[in-house]
Amino acid sequence: SQNLHRAFVLLIGLTLTLSACATGPEVDLRIHESDRGAVYVERIPDRSFRAAHPVTLSTDTMARVLRGVVVQENRGLLGNMIIGRPEAVRAFRDEDIQFLAPLLAEGLTRAASAQQVGFRVVQPGMSEVTKGSLYVYGQSLYLTVPWLIPPSGNGAGARALPPTVLFIPESAKRPD
């Protein structure tokens, strides 16, 4: 009976540990939450990493950063020869930029060195959710946009080619 109790306690501990790992970073502060989306300050998963927060960035600068992220479909060499090179399109819509820019700027002023600013935007009338995060390290702003990478397959067993993510103007992008 005591062994059964220990096994049960161990199982509960493992379950809580695994569920904590599976939920992603821990949210420390909600900047904004509505039907439109959310911006929050969360712990950086790598506990040894330290960002350069808090930092002040203007809403205008944040909007220019979001406007500068563009995506170009990758059709491969043959696809580009047959169909032509696809145009690059902005990753963030104007409405998303208007919503996110002031909130992300506020998040960076309120984040500590062990935190990053996370966001999610719900596309109106769709179940699609845009998620990402950003932090400042040194003199650079790092933006993570995992929603731009397509799922590994399209159901037919073929792998989709990931799009090319660009930043305009190129001069503002770091070579790495």
Side-chain angles (χ1 to χ4, degrees):
S1 173
Q2 190 165 0
N3 285 341
L4 183 60
H5 182 342
R6 283 186 193 153
F8 184 67
V9 169
L10 180 62
L11 179 62
I12 289 174
L14 284 173
T15 302
L16 290 175
T17 302
L18 291 174
S19 66
C21 293
T23 59
E26 182 179 335
V27 173
D28 291 329
L29 173 67
R30 293 196 190 289
I31 302 294
H32 176 85
E33 187 160 14
S34 68
D35 291 343
R36 180 79 177 98
V39 173
Y40 39 88
V41 175
E42 62 188 6
R43 301 265 170 92
I44 295 175
D46 180 354
R47 302 286 187 205
S48 66
F49 181 80
R50 292 290 177 247
H53 302 150
V55 66
T56 301
L57 202 64
S58 74
T59 297
D60 182 56
T61 300
M62 183 58 66
R64 286 187 309 180
V65 167
L66 297 176
R67 244 183 247 108
V69 180
V70 295
V71 182
Q72 190 171 38
E73 183 184 349
N74 192 348
R75 298 180 185 147
L77 183 60
L78 186 60
N80 286 344
M81 287 174 39
I82 295 170
I83 303 170
R85 189 147 182 89
E87 282 190 40
V89 295
R90 288 194 356 222
F92 293 92
R93 301 174 323 149
D94 286 334
E95 310 86 84
D96 299 338
I97 294 168
Q98 195 171 12
F99 171 73
L100 287 172
L103 298 170
L104 293 175
E106 180 183 345
L108 288 172
T109 64
R110 298 180 72 182
S113 62
Q115 298 171 318
Q116 63 187 3
V117 180
F119 64 89
R120 67 178 164 75
V121 178
V122 179
Q123 302 305 329
M126 302 169 69
S127 62
E128 189 176 322
V129 176
T130 302
K131 288 183 178 183
S133 62
L134 63 108
Y135 63 89
V136 174
Y137 183 74
Q139 296 293 310
S140 298
L141 176 70
Y142 291 83
L143 176 65
T144 304
V145 286
W147 51 273
L148 291 177
I149 306 303
S152 61
N154 61 11
R159 293 182 64 91
L161 292 172
T164 301
V165 180
L166 305 166
F167 190 81
I168 310 238
E170 279 288 322
S171 61
K173 182 181 166 196
R174 291 179 53 121
D176 57 348

